[in-house]
Amino acid sequence: RAGRAAGQRGRRLWYAAQSRRPLDPRLAVYSAFSHRGVLGDPAAVFAKAREIAPQLEGVWVVREDAVEGLPPGTDFVTPGSRRYHEVMARATYWVNNVNWPGTLAKRPGSVHIHTHQGTPLKYMAADLLAKPGARHGFDVPKMLWRADRWDYSLVANRHSELVWERAYPCHFASVRTGSPRNDVLVGAGPRETEAARARLGVPAGRAVVLYAPTRREYRRGGHVDRIDLARFARDLGPDHTLVVRLHPSLAKGTARGMGLADLHRRGLLVDATDVPHVEDVLLAADVLVTDYSALMFDYALLDRPIVIHADDWAAYTASRGAYFDITAQAPGHVTRAYGELAALFTSGAWRDGESARLRQGFRERFCEFDDGRAAERVVRTLMLGERMPERGSGAQRVPGPAGAPALLDAR
């Protein structure tokens, strides 16, 4: 214990000494999902910076257990190391989709760019003060204190802008850049879709149904079996492949070990929970079935059908809270029982004209600022100080169709 305490004291002194040196105007530090790897919006910004601003040195903060999964050639530091404190003390640009630790000070002249993790449906940050069950384990005042170090908050639509400014009443500027990680979705075509299907191992000619449930705050552990996955896979039939992606917080829980992993081993479905880049999973799907996952806002950019399975909406909103009623302003058909969901796919109504009409209105509201150049916009305007040409709208673009022949005919 004495050795660890001495080591921590030494690192604090080293950090303090490095903090007296000038900021490095060419140094940018990145992190995503609490240092889990090169992922999400920060990864998209990093890739674009390497392309158009090679003079910027990008360093990732990565946990020791995630180092093996890093792309070759990635410059990284592990939390608490000597170089970590040096990098954090001298970096000018900080890019993250979660808050940086409170032990790190924001130096004058540094630029903190917060990307968030998508468009919010459920209550976040300060709004959780009225939901004691949902904020269990979260120190909201400390969360807001850390957020007060942000300089810029990236938004993909006006809804997000209003929500983040309400949930985080802090001193930052909202920037209508779009979501950098979604650039790949806006620019996707049949080639990208087929490549994503191949990476998941989906047989050619199959229609891919992606089921992506979110966690429940009203149940210990967060997982509730809303659908019998084996039954759903069988009811879809042999010309469909069911792909399941659990919420990241459930990846190591009982939901995997007590059913999903076994169904994957038996070949009844594809468990895509561990696929590192969720964009690959979205690209592979012909239709998204979800309850209240924020993935629906990203998937809408592909202009493919979305089904909302809302059999516990009242319980969910009572425990977690929501900024609007997704069952009344849905991106597609809404089901409230398994029988309704199965009938929707048996009849083919999941991709009918009503589904397309609802999706168009949803896209106009939530795909407003995504034009495929979000990452470039972040690098040029917030890191290089340049101006960007006028932005297009993700809702106006019609992406290439998904890859299943039945769906191509339907479109």
Side-chain angles (χ1 to χ4, degrees):
R1 289 197 297 270
R4 285 197 297 270
Q8 292 173 358
R9 186 165 56 252
R11 285 189 289 272
R12 286 196 299 269
L13 291 173
W14 175 250
Y15 178 63
Q18 292 298 311
S19 297
R20 287 192 287 269
R21 297 177 61 191
L23 290 173
D24 186 342
R26 297 178 300 174
L27 181 58
V29 63
Y30 300 85
S31 179
F33 302 106
S34 300
H35 314 321
R36 278 177 32 214
V38 182
L39 303 166
D41 290 300
V45 175
F46 169 71
K48 184 57 66 172
R50 294 182 71 177
E51 176 187 337
I52 65 177
Q55 70 273 23
L56 295 178
E57 178 188 359
V59 180
W60 279 85
V61 181
V62 183
R63 299 182 325 212
E64 290 186 4
D65 60 354
V67 168
E68 290 186 4
L70 293 178
T74 302
D75 191 4
F76 70 93
V77 294
T78 54
S81 65
R82 182 181 177 93
R83 185 167 179 245
Y84 165 82
H85 286 96
E86 179 179 349
V87 168
M88 303 313 295
R90 302 205 58 209
T92 294
Y93 304 102
W94 299 40
V95 184
N96 204 341
N97 63 3
V98 298
N99 271 323
W100 293 99
T103 54
L104 300 174
K106 179 178 178 2
R107 297 183 60 185
S110 65
V111 179
H112 286 221
I113 301 170
H114 192 78
T115 70
H116 300 284
Q117 298 179 35
T119 294
L121 171 63
K122 58 190 177 185
Y123 277 4
M124 305 293 286
D127 290 321
L128 291 177
L129 290 171
K131 299 291 182 180
R135 63 179 168 85
H136 179 70
F138 290 95
D139 187 331
V140 174
K142 184 176 291 186
M143 183 187 303
L144 298 181
W145 177 81
R146 292 174 177 175
D148 211 27
R149 297 174 295 181
W150 304 348
D151 291 291
Y152 300 110
S153 166
L154 307 188
V155 298
N157 45 65
R158 294 170 211 251
H159 164 79
S160 295
E161 184 173 349
L162 293 173
V163 167
W164 295 136
E165 291 179 358
R166 163 181 157 165
Y168 293 97
C170 303
H171 297 86
F172 59 80
S174 296
V175 189
R176 298 175 175 181
T177 57
S179 296
R181 74 183 187 284
N182 285 340
D183 288 347
V184 65
L185 301 181
V186 178
R191 179 179 301 176
E192 288 78 10
T193 294
E194 290 304 320
R197 289 168 182 266
R199 286 190 288 271
L200 289 181
V202 175
R206 295 276 191 92
V208 177
V209 179
L210 170 61
Y211 175 54
T214 193
R215 64 176 290 116
R216 301 312 200 264
E217 274 72 21
Y218 63 78
R219 180 66 63 89
R220 178 176 295 179
H223 177 72
V224 180
D225 285 319
R226 309 310 311 177
I227 294 177
D228 183 333
L229 296 177
R231 179 183 179 186
F232 190 33
R234 289 193 298 266
D235 289 347
L236 286 173
D239 56 344
H240 291 68
T241 293
L242 177 61
V243 175
V244 179
R245 185 179 178 88
L246 297 180
H247 188 276
S249 65
L250 304 176
K252 298 186 182 301
T254 56
R256 301 286 295 284
M258 295 181 64
L260 182 57
D262 179 61
L263 294 176
H264 177 82
R265 284 192 296 268
R266 291 162 54 192
L268 294 180
L269 51 75
V270 175
D271 178 7
T273 303
D274 291 333
V275 175
H277 299 285
V278 69
E279 299 82 18
D280 272 353
V281 185
L282 298 180
L283 278 171
D286 294 294
V287 55
L288 170 66
V289 178
T290 186
D291 35 39
Y292 325 116
S293 171
L295 286 180
M296 71 178 83
F297 301 101
D298 306 319
Y299 191 75
L301 286 164
L302 292 169
D303 195 23
R304 300 175 189 172
I306 301 172
V307 176
I308 302 297
H309 187 61
D311 62 337
D312 65 339
W313 176 244
Y316 183 82
T317 53
S319 63
R320 179 62 194 241
Y323 291 110
F324 66 94
D325 186 349
I326 191 61
T327 66
Q329 304 174 57
H333 290 291
V334 178
T335 60
R336 299 181 183 274
Y338 177 76
E340 295 178 10
L341 179 64
L344 197 68
F345 279 91
T346 301
S347 65
W350 58 275
R351 50 186 171 93
D352 62 10
E354 178 65 6
S355 172
R357 184 188 68 80
L358 292 169
R359 187 169 68 253
Q360 180 57 31
F362 193 83
R363 280 164 49 81
E364 290 174 358
R365 181 179 179 186
F366 296 108
C367 300
E368 186 177 7
F369 303 146
D370 278 308
D371 63 351
R373 302 182 68 184
E376 179 185 359
R377 189 167 290 109
V378 172
V379 175
R380 291 196 184 279
T381 62
L382 304 185
M383 303 174 81
L384 300 180
E386 300 176 0
R387 294 181 63 86
M388 283 282 292
E390 186 176 350
R391 178 183 54 245
S393 172
Q396 296 173 352
R397 182 184 180 276
V398 179
L407 296 182
L408 293 177
D409 294 339
R411 293 174 66 94

